[in-house]
Amino acid sequence: MPRPIQAIISTQAMAHNLAQVRTRVGEIQEQAKSSNTVKTLAIIKANAYGHGTLNALKGFAEADGLGMIDLEDAVLCRQQRWQKPIILLEGFFHQADVEILQQYRITTAVHSFYQIDYLKQAKLGMSPIDVMVKFNTGMNRLGFLASQAQEVLSLLKALQTKGIVGRIGCMSHFANADLDSRYVNEAAEQVMQLSTSFDGPLSMCNSAASIRYPQFGIHAAENWLRPGICLYGSVPFDTQLEGFTDVTFKPTMTLMADIIAIQTLQVGDSVGYGSTFTADRPMKIAVVACGYADGYPRSAAENTPVTVDGQPARLVGRVSMDMLTIDITHLPHAHIGSKVVLWGEQGPSIDVVADYSNRIGYELMCGLTKRVPVQVI
Ligand SMILES: Cc1ncc(COP(=O)(O)O)c(C=O)c1O
């Protein structure tokens, strides 16, 4: 029998979250009386943010497309009969990748001239590759400057004429979609202006932008939204505080483990490595079969919330590799085998645990380790 720890991945919650994004953007479109096409591409990079690429294919079956980083994942999705668009968000890295893009009809971001050089050497007579020209709007990670747009476009149009390149769209990725609207507005204006020279879709909105700035997701004749984190039930800002009370995302990953030992502490007894927690009253401490080698953050602070058989409880002492300790003094019925939810359904949200750990929800879900058995529902 495996250790009593489990991650539950909910493909139903994934489908629910996708529908939430679509509803929100649909409402904005209705208000604007816009008949533009809006496609929602689910971002499934990094093993679908730790949820498993194949699970994401099931959960996001209704998405209009998928976005990812690894060419291998894109090929896997095609082999699983995913027929709708797939976009590589960072584009491709090697000359040899070009033929695979052609063979599997994979759309690629183009952010640098070396990629255009690789495209020039593509085999003729195969399917044209749809490209999304990526513009740098202040992140200074990937992308061309607006001043390079005409040069890039004429190079790509020449490849379009040869049948190497198909549709040419454009995209950008906001540096501050979850923070400051001033930068977002400037960046969006710039890309919206550029997009008029392109014959393909316009794509600007990740999760935060899809919720906070949906107007930028409906601007062009064809738009591709690129939500990631919110489809997994985590939101990088406070939706309630910002008034998005109608948007409800469900957790897609629940991490739970059993109580495997119970200790009784007297005043002055301490718990765990470094004896960072010392009892100032008689206490009952439960040892839970989950540690940082499972992906629970070692940096989780004293009092990080958990639930025990549905009842709230708190972390005490340092998280170790395979175990963590919680205070169950107030829970007389907690016992060996009681279910402790570390984050997710019927437990604290992954964002709350991340806050207590000085991490972000993205890191926690991506950090679930291989040794944790997964149940998919
Ligand atoms: C280019 C691009 N688009 C979309 C996303 C999805 O972002 P989020 O998970 O914040 O929605 C990412 C994630 O980092 C990205 O790099």
Side-chain angles (χ1 to χ4, degrees):
M1 294 277 283
R3 279 167 74 230
I5 180 170
Q6 192 177 43
I8 298 169
I9 302 294
S10 169
T11 56
Q12 291 152 26
M14 288 180 191
H16 166 89
N17 295 341
L18 175 70
Q20 289 285 300
V21 175
R22 283 188 150 153
T23 306
R24 165 134 183 87
V25 176
E27 283 166 4
I28 299 297
Q29 220 183 343
E30 218 172 278
Q31 281 166 23
K33 298 195 176 8
S34 156
S35 56
N36 290 339
T37 301
V38 179
K39 295 190 172 177
T40 308
L41 278 69
I43 303 305
I44 63 161
K45 65 188 179 142
N47 193 30
Y49 290 51
H51 291 67
T53 305
L54 296 182
N55 300 331
L57 269 179
K58 199 169 156 205
F60 302 134
E62 297 301 319
D64 301 305
L66 299 172
M68 62 201 76
I69 299 291
D70 290 297
L71 185 55
E72 256 180 33
D73 289 342
V75 170
L76 174 71
C77 291
R78 284 284 183 247
Q79 286 166 342
Q80 296 292 317
R81 303 203 167 77
W82 180 269
Q83 304 288 352
K84 293 177 266 186
I86 293 178
I87 175 170
L88 293 181
L89 301 169
E90 291 179 8
F92 56 101
F93 306 98
H94 311 286
Q95 178 67 61
D97 296 340
V98 173
E99 193 172 337
I100 302 171
L101 299 178
Q102 292 174 305
Q103 187 183 346
Y104 289 95
R105 294 176 296 104
I106 296 164
T107 303
T108 180
V110 171
H111 59 76
S112 292
F113 286 109
Y114 76 87
Q115 293 174 317
I116 301 179
D117 288 339
Y118 288 162
L119 287 171
K120 281 182 191 158
Q121 295 166 55
K123 270 195 186 163
L124 298 177
M126 292 180 74
S127 295
I129 302 168
D130 289 340
V131 299
M132 298 286 277
V133 177
K134 195 162 190 168
F135 286 104
N136 174 8
T137 51
M139 179 93 88
N140 287 313
R141 251 179 9 179
L142 299 179
F144 297 102
L145 297 172
S147 57
Q148 296 173 305
Q150 286 317 313
E151 182 186 359
V152 171
L153 196 56
S154 68
L155 289 169
L156 289 172
K157 278 191 169 159
L159 296 178
Q160 207 172 33
T161 313
K162 284 185 169 175
I164 293 174
V165 162
R167 289 204 303 164
I168 308 171
C170 75
M171 66 188 286
S172 65
H173 190 46
F174 299 122
N176 297 294
D178 50 342
L179 299 170
D180 192 328
S181 59
R182 192 163 44 100
Y183 297 111
V184 173
N185 288 332
E186 274 173 26
E189 283 302 329
Q190 192 181 45
V191 181
M192 287 189 306
Q193 266 183 23
L194 291 169
S195 71
T196 54
S197 313
F198 291 74
D199 63 17
L202 168 64
S203 179
M204 288 198 282
C205 295
N206 66 350
S207 298
S210 298
I211 301 164
R212 297 178 91 199
Y213 310 104
Q215 67 274 24
F216 301 138
I218 63 170
H219 172 82
E222 182 176 339
N223 304 272
W224 286 6
L225 305 177
R226 305 188 313 268
I229 194 75
C230 69
L231 301 183
Y232 304 99
S234 158
V235 191
F237 61 91
D238 192 329
T239 45
Q240 302 305 308
L241 200 69
E242 293 199 15
F244 300 113
T245 43
D246 52 340
V247 193
T248 54
F249 295 110
K250 293 185 180 174
T252 52
M253 178 190 285
T254 298
L255 179 62
M256 58 199 297
D258 286 8
I259 292 179
I260 56 166
I262 294 177
Q263 302 291 343
T264 304
L265 301 192
Q266 305 304 327
V267 174
D269 287 347
S270 46
V271 179
Y273 287 115
S275 303
T276 55
F277 176 82
T278 303
D280 59 2
R281 64 199 156 98
M283 292 180 78
K284 230 167 49 157
I285 298 294
V287 180
V288 183
C290 176
Y292 61 78
D294 299 299
Y296 192 88
R298 183 178 180 277
S299 56
E302 199 83 45
N303 288 326
T304 304
V306 300
T307 59
V308 180
D309 291 336
Q311 301 299 313
R314 302 223 166 234
L315 190 78
V316 289
R318 237 178 228 167
V319 175
S320 49
M321 186 183 283
D322 314 300
M323 286 172 273
L324 54 80
T325 38
I326 57 175
D327 177 10
I328 53 162
T329 315
H330 61 298
L331 300 175
H333 300 297
H335 54 87
I336 302 294
S338 280
K339 302 290 173 211
V340 179
V341 176
L342 286 322
W343 65 63
E345 192 64 42
Q346 293 183 9
S349 90
I350 199 164
D351 294 324
V352 166
V353 179
D355 276 351
Y356 271 88
S357 313
N358 202 16
R359 307 272 296 274
I360 52 174
Y362 298 74
E363 286 179 277
L364 266 51
M365 44 180 89
C366 291
L368 185 77
T369 64
K370 274 203 178 126
R371 77 174 189 178
V372 178
V374 171
Q375 187 195 350
V376 182
I377 56 172

